[in-house]
Amino acid sequence: MKCVPLTALLLTLSAAGAATPTFLNVATGSPTGTYSAMFKNIGQVCTQSAYLRERGTSGSLENIDLLLDNQVSLAFVQSDVLKARQQIDKDPRVENIRTLLPLHREELHLFARPPVVKTNILGRTTTTGIQNFADLKDKRVGAWGGSLITARVLAAMTGVPFQIVSLKDQPSAFAALQSGQVDAVLAVVGQPAPWVKNLSGVNLIAVPTNPKLSAIYSPAKLFYPNLSANSVPTIAVQSVLATRDFKTPERKQLLLNYQKCAMSHLVNLQEDEGMHPKWQEVDFKTWPWPRYK
């Protein structure tokens, strides 16, 4: 029988007893979206990101479901989606959700086809279509992901009743708009959104605010030269990188180290070339949901 050297045996036993690295899944969004870009940006400055794996999704609504259903350990979500799940849906599971990182504001983008102007035989002109927010009354508004929740909140808090049409994603929403299946499209996304910069043949509609909305949303402006020569008033909601209130030591330490690293490298995230411009409005000071500690 061949004798195994003691040092080799000890090394083998040590390797066998070593803890298996903890890998966590992170729900982001579309590959061209703000969530995915910011997740990759953090990965450029934090080595802990090697233990985090991105999972592409349709956005906040799917992300919160994946997080609550224990399919992922972290998720990028709009804070109004969390509040709606707590206050409207009365889902007790959201009490276990924590904010790992408070992030950027996401602006509400409301799109409609250009109004149609007709002149009758008497020379009188009439304009049909969506020209302002009030024109949404009894109209069909398409949305997807977390924007569906924002649409519900908006209809309830503005007193402008409109029908919300659930659509799969951004391409299907604009296909429905162009075909006349919906009268407007609502999307909550951090500007500048690459896909918005490539749009044509649609108008941005101003979104007003009021005391009810200001409890959740803040005033904002949209700047897209391809759609409007001037800025367009709207509202915005803060997004967060959410997790659950994990207690296991390995998972907890990984999350806390990741949190600490991102917060300590904010200047790099804001100033290094190639980082998403939304980092410039992040300060890690406003926590719209309880913090992970």
Side-chain angles (χ1 to χ4, degrees), residues 65 88 104 154 214:
D65 285 336
I88 299 176
H104 59 290
L154 200 63
S214 62

Side-chain angles (χ1 to χ4, degrees), residues 92-191:
R93 297 177 299 168
V94 296
E95 303 302 328
N96 192 44
I97 298 297
R98 296 291 183 270
T99 298
L100 189 68
L101 293 171
L103 297 171
H104 59 290
R105 297 189 310 163
E106 293 195 289
E107 292 82 4
L108 194 155
H109 297 60
L110 182 61
F111 305 93
R113 287 172 294 175
V116 176
V117 180
K118 295 182 179 180
T119 304
N120 62 21
I121 58 175
L122 299 177
R124 296 174 181 172
T125 61
T126 57
T127 304
T128 59
I130 308 298
Q131 299 181 73
N132 54 59
F133 189 82
D135 291 336
L136 291 180
K137 182 179 179 181
D138 299 327
K139 296 296 193 299
R140 301 157 300 175
V141 178
W144 69 95
S147 302
L148 288 164
I149 302 300
T150 305
R152 287 173 57 190
V153 175
L154 200 63
M157 292 187 172
T158 60
V160 178
F162 51 81
Q163 178 187 349
I164 302 169
V165 180
S166 177
L167 297 165
K168 180 182 178 182
D169 50 25
Q170 178 259 322
S172 60
F174 280 87
L177 179 63
Q178 296 301 335
S179 66
Q181 297 177 43
V182 298
D183 303 291
V185 167
L186 186 153
V188 180
V189 59
Q191 73 166 325

Side-chain angles (χ1 to χ4, degrees), residues 23-285:
F23 290 93
L24 307 180
N25 290 304
V26 185
T28 57
S30 71
T32 60
T34 306
Y35 290 160
S36 181
M38 297 186 85
F39 173 71
K40 291 180 174 66
N41 290 164
I42 299 176
Q44 294 175 247
V45 298
C46 294
T47 58
Q48 294 86 354
S49 297
Y51 298 98
L52 303 181
R53 296 179 291 207
E54 182 176 9
R55 177 168 174 172
T57 68
S58 61
S60 288
L61 192 57
E62 181 181 359
N63 291 358
I64 189 62
D65 285 336
L66 290 171
L67 185 60
L68 291 173
D69 292 341
N70 199 28
Q71 299 301 304
V72 299
S73 297
L74 298 100
F76 287 80
V77 296
Q78 301 163 204
S79 56
D80 62 343
V81 172
L82 286 170
K83 292 178 181 178
R85 186 60 65 92
Q86 178 193 52
Q87 299 173 14
I88 299 176
D89 299 329
K90 307 296 183 182
D91 190 335
R93 297 177 299 168
V94 296
E95 303 302 328
N96 192 44
I97 298 297
R98 296 291 183 270
T99 298
L100 189 68
L101 293 171
L103 297 171
H104 59 290
R105 297 189 310 163
E106 293 195 289
E107 292 82 4
L108 194 155
H109 297 60
L110 182 61
F111 305 93
R113 287 172 294 175
V116 176
V117 180
K118 295 182 179 180
T119 304
N120 62 21
I121 58 175
L122 299 177
R124 296 174 181 172
T125 61
T126 57
T127 304
T128 59
I130 308 298
Q131 299 181 73
N132 54 59
F133 189 82
D135 291 336
L136 291 180
K137 182 179 179 181
D138 299 327
K139 296 296 193 299
R140 301 157 300 175
V141 178
W144 69 95
S147 302
L148 288 164
I149 302 300
T150 305
R152 287 173 57 190
V153 175
L154 200 63
M157 292 187 172
T158 60
V160 178
F162 51 81
Q163 178 187 349
I164 302 169
V165 180
S166 177
L167 297 165
K168 180 182 178 182
D169 50 25
Q170 178 259 322
S172 60
F174 280 87
L177 179 63
Q178 296 301 335
S179 66
Q181 297 177 43
V182 298
D183 303 291
V185 167
L186 186 153
V188 180
V189 59
Q191 73 166 325
W195 59 267
V196 179
K197 294 166 68 175
N198 295 325
L199 290 177
S200 61
V202 295
N203 288 349
L204 278 169
I205 307 300
V207 178
T209 188
N210 61 39
K212 289 183 180 180
L213 288 170
S214 62
I216 303 176
Y217 305 91
S218 56
K221 290 186 177 182
L222 297 174
F223 302 91
Y224 289 99
N226 58 309
L227 299 180
S228 175
N230 302 313
S231 63
V232 178
T234 189
I235 55 177
V237 63
Q238 188 174 5
S239 61
V240 300
L241 178 56
T243 186
R244 297 199 305 281
D245 194 15
F246 293 113
K247 302 294 194 302
T248 51
E250 297 85 0
R251 187 176 298 248
K252 185 171 184 176
Q253 195 57 55
L254 173 59
L255 290 173
L256 290 174
N257 288 343
Y258 184 77
Q259 180 188 66
K260 181 180 179 180
C261 178
M263 295 178 73
S264 64
H265 287 82
L266 180 58
V267 173
N268 300 95
L269 292 168
Q270 292 175 331
E271 298 184 359
D272 288 357
E273 291 184 0
M275 297 297 184
H276 196 282
K278 271 297 179 182
W279 284 114
Q280 296 170 31
E281 66 180 49
V282 175
D283 58 17
F284 292 138
K285 293 179 181 179

